[in-house]
């Protein structure tokens, strides 16, 4: 399998009609390994419904390649989520307006082919226009998730810190890497 370098990469806000698909994705073994999230439709509606209804300050976005949904991108201003800000601040300074990303590629056939780094680079570039006050993008990733932090590096983010943060999955060691890219 080679890199995926063609096809239009787009995203749109998560909609109510996407919740069953998201539940399926969260139940996929490789996704559930890193996104330790209940994947019943009730749990997904409970946890992602506020975003669908516009009640959350962050964005949950369905990512598609040539019109085919394959992943989820979450993007938010860190200061809008005090718990996230507090966790980041144990390791790094968090500038006012900094944005954080989280992401998953649900389709196993599309993993390991360069799509993650392409999606992240695209997300960073659009963040500069979508969040004009954002001075930086920060991403925390559990150290054991090598594929994730390698995608961040390939997308141009730099590792700026490492240390303990609460892992999404309790089986993981708390060691996380924090990546950053500043507004050009």
């Amino acid at each position: 399998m080679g890199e995926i370098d063609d096809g239009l990469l787009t995203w749109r806000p998560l909609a109510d009609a996407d919740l069953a698909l998201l539940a399926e994705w969260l139940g996929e073994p490789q996704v559930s390994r890193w996104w330790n999230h209940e994947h019943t439709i009730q749990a997904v509606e409970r946890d992602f419904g506020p975003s669908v209804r516009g009640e959350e300050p962050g964005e949950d976005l369905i990512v598609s390649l040539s019109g085919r949904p394959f992943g989820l991108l979450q993007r938010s201003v860190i200061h809008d989520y005090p718990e996230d800000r507090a966790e980041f601040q144990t390791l790094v300074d968090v500038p006012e307006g900094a944005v954080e990303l989280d992401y998953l590629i649900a389709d196993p056939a599309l993993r390991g082919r360069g799509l993650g780094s392409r999606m992240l680079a695209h997300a960073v570039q659009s963040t500069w226009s979508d969040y004009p006050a954002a001075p930086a993008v920060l991403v925390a990733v559990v150290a054991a998730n090598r594929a994730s932090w390698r995608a961040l590096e390939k997308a141009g983010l730099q590792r700026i810190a490492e240390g303990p943060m609460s892992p999404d999955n309790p089986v993981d060691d708390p060691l996380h890497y924090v990546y950053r890219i500043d507004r050009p």
Side-chain angles (χ1 to χ4, degrees), residues 27-50:
E28 195 279 324
Q30 187 66 14
V31 172
S32 67
R33 166 63 186 93
W34 304 111
W35 281 63
N36 186 38
H37 193 284
E38 289 180 64
H39 53 270
T40 64
I41 190 64
Q42 295 83 3
V44 171
E45 287 173 348
R46 177 193 68 223
D47 296 340
F48 291 88

Side-chain angles (χ1 to χ4, degrees), residues 72-137:
L72 180 74
L73 173 68
Q74 294 182 312
R75 186 168 61 170
S76 60
V77 175
I78 298 170
H79 283 255
D80 288 342
Y81 293 88
E83 289 179 11
D84 290 359
R85 182 179 70 220
E87 276 238 278
F88 272 108
Q89 286 177 327
T90 65
L91 300 177
V92 298
D93 288 328
V94 179
E96 186 69 38
V99 169
E100 68 177 314
L101 303 176
D102 203 355
Y103 45 88
L104 64 85
I105 295 177
D107 185 339
L110 296 178
R111 292 189 202 120
R113 300 181 62 196
L115 190 57
S117 56
R118 183 175 161 208
M119 175 180 69
L120 290 164
H122 190 59
V124 166
Q125 287 308 307
S126 79
T127 296
W128 306 139
S129 59
D130 296 344
Y131 294 82
V137 171

Side-chain angles (χ1 to χ4, degrees), residues 105-169:
I105 295 177
D107 185 339
L110 296 178
R111 292 189 202 120
R113 300 181 62 196
L115 190 57
S117 56
R118 183 175 161 208
M119 175 180 69
L120 290 164
H122 190 59
V124 166
Q125 287 308 307
S126 79
T127 296
W128 306 139
S129 59
D130 296 344
Y131 294 82
V137 171
L138 297 173
V139 181
V141 62
V142 68
N145 193 343
R146 186 176 194 280
S148 185
W149 55 260
R150 287 292 297 136
L152 290 163
E153 291 171 355
K154 289 177 185 175
L157 286 86
Q158 300 294 312
R159 186 183 303 176
I160 61 165
E162 60 181 68
M165 295 176 84
S166 298
D168 288 337
N169 192 330

Side-chain angles (χ1 to χ4, degrees), residues 7-20:
L8 181 63
L9 192 62
T10 58
W11 53 68
R12 60 174 174 72
L14 182 70
D16 194 53
D18 300 315
L19 296 179

